Amino acid sequence: IPVLRMNSSVEYSGYAVASGTVASVSSDVLSFALADDASPMDSAYNFHTFSVSSESRTVLQYVGATKTVTVDAVFSTTPVAGSSTYTISDASYSFTSVNNLETQAGDSCRDLMDSGWNTSGYYWIRTRFSNDTTLRPSFVGYCDQDTDGGGWLMCYSEEAGADMAMEYGFRAQYPFGRSGYRSDCRNYPFNEVQYLLHQQDPSFDDADRVVFKARSRRPVMVTDSFWEGNPLSDAYGNLVFKAASTYSSPDLSTPYQLLACGFGRTAGLFMSGL
């Protein structure tokens, strides 16, 4: 999970609950096909709460192709295909509230930190895309205000690569720490990058982090790379990053270059040793 200490925005479309009519019930009454408008993405509802008639179960597996959930226990009253209605909510990783008002949006997580918003969580952030504040729309993003002094914006969370050029909209069903989380880091000035290792769980151990800091260079933006896997650079040339962390890390003596790619198996942000 790259987390960038920088000034940017997160697009927000807040829907955390899916609902519909059960389409079919398997013979073992542990698997249920959902309505046609359910998510087509595998694992989209893993660990979510599946409720029918006030009874709730935890989703152990979700297959996007068949839109089928497998729950952890049978219902006392078996749901009926075509008539029983269900809801899916995220009890374990709920998107509950934003810490500030939209009128209190900060330029960045660092700006919010410096203004006294020092609790990690979701915040309204105003993009730095334009100096004209009337053209700077506000969005919601998750700020890590604890690690290494705080001021970090969660960029994306994914088990594989993330197409940062196209996948940048935050959806509440994929909150901080869950694979599928996205935020808009395309035009976000930064010069520090933090990587986190997780297992679809927002509770991290410090040993699962590494921080890279650019060596005496001014901030850059991911869009400067043109999404072709080019090293990020500023007016003086390619930035050189060094691992600078008390957390687990690669060779601290090795210089690294940060590359960004919008597609392919290396999609996202990655460090390459020089």
Side-chain angles (χ1 to χ4, degrees):
I1 309 173
V3 184
L4 309 183
R5 184 139 61 181
M6 52 192 184
N7 308 310
S8 188
S9 62
V10 173
E11 291 192 356
Y12 168 66
S13 56
Y15 60 92
V17 177
S19 61
T21 301
V22 175
S24 66
V25 179
S26 71
S27 58
D28 60 8
V29 296
L30 287 175
S31 296
F32 308 91
L34 306 187
D36 288 340
D37 59 354
S39 174
M41 297 178 61
D42 284 344
S43 304
Y45 300 124
N46 286 11
F47 308 113
H48 283 47
T49 299
F50 181 77
S51 302
V52 178
S53 301
S54 74
E55 284 191 79
S56 298
R57 301 291 184 266
T58 298
V59 177
L60 299 181
Q61 183 182 39
Y62 177 72
V63 180
T66 57
K67 299 183 178 179
T68 302
V69 296
T70 300
V71 297
D72 63 339
V74 299
F75 288 89
S76 59
T77 300
T78 303
V80 178
S83 61
S84 294
T85 58
Y86 68 87
T87 59
I88 295 180
S89 58
D90 197 339
S92 299
Y93 308 91
S94 60
F95 174 79
T96 54
S97 63
V98 182
N99 288 329
N100 60 342
L101 300 176
E102 186 174 4
T103 55
Q104 301 170 315
D107 287 332
S108 66
C109 292
R110 170 61 70 184
D111 176 61
L112 289 164
M113 184 81 179
D114 293 342
S115 299
W117 300 96
N118 55 12
T119 300
S120 294
Y122 294 96
Y123 288 91
W124 283 103
I125 300 170
R126 182 179 297 111
T127 178
R128 268 272 176 86
F129 194 67
S130 170
N131 288 326
D132 184 347
T133 57
T134 64
L135 299 177
R136 294 163 58 185
S138 299
F139 304 91
V140 171
Y142 189 94
C143 293
D144 175 358
Q145 307 295 51
D146 297 303
T147 301
D148 199 28
W152 300 90
L153 173 64
M154 182 73 173
C155 187
Y156 65 81
S157 174
E158 187 53 64
E159 296 173 358
D163 184 347
M164 296 177 65
M166 299 298 295
E167 301 171 7
Y168 52 83
F170 171 70
R171 290 183 289 172
Q173 69 201 77
Y174 303 112
F176 167 75
R178 166 163 289 177
S179 182
Y181 175 94
R182 296 292 186 269
S183 64
D184 190 353
C185 295
R186 299 169 300 171
N187 298 288
Y188 197 116
F190 70 98
N191 55 14
E192 297 177 327
V193 181
Q194 175 191 168
Y195 291 88
L196 307 176
L197 177 65
H198 74 100
Q199 299 294 327
Q200 292 195 343
D201 190 325
S203 298
F204 300 105
D205 185 272
D206 283 347
D208 294 331
R209 305 173 187 266
V210 60
V211 176
F212 293 88
K213 298 185 179 182
R215 301 173 62 180
S216 303
R217 307 301 283 272
R218 67 186 185 182
V220 294
M221 294 188 295
V222 172
T223 47
D224 294 336
S225 72
F226 303 105
W227 308 110
E228 297 175 354
N230 299 324
L232 272 71
S233 60
D234 61 14
Y236 306 102
N238 293 344
L239 270 72
V240 176
F241 287 78
K242 292 296 293 291
S245 175
T246 57
Y247 310 112
S248 65
S249 65
D251 187 355
L252 295 175
S253 64
T254 299
Y256 297 86
Q257 60 184 3
L258 178 64
L259 301 97
C261 190
F263 49 85
R265 65 183 180 85
T266 57
L269 297 176
F270 57 98
M271 291 286 178
S272 174
L274 294 174

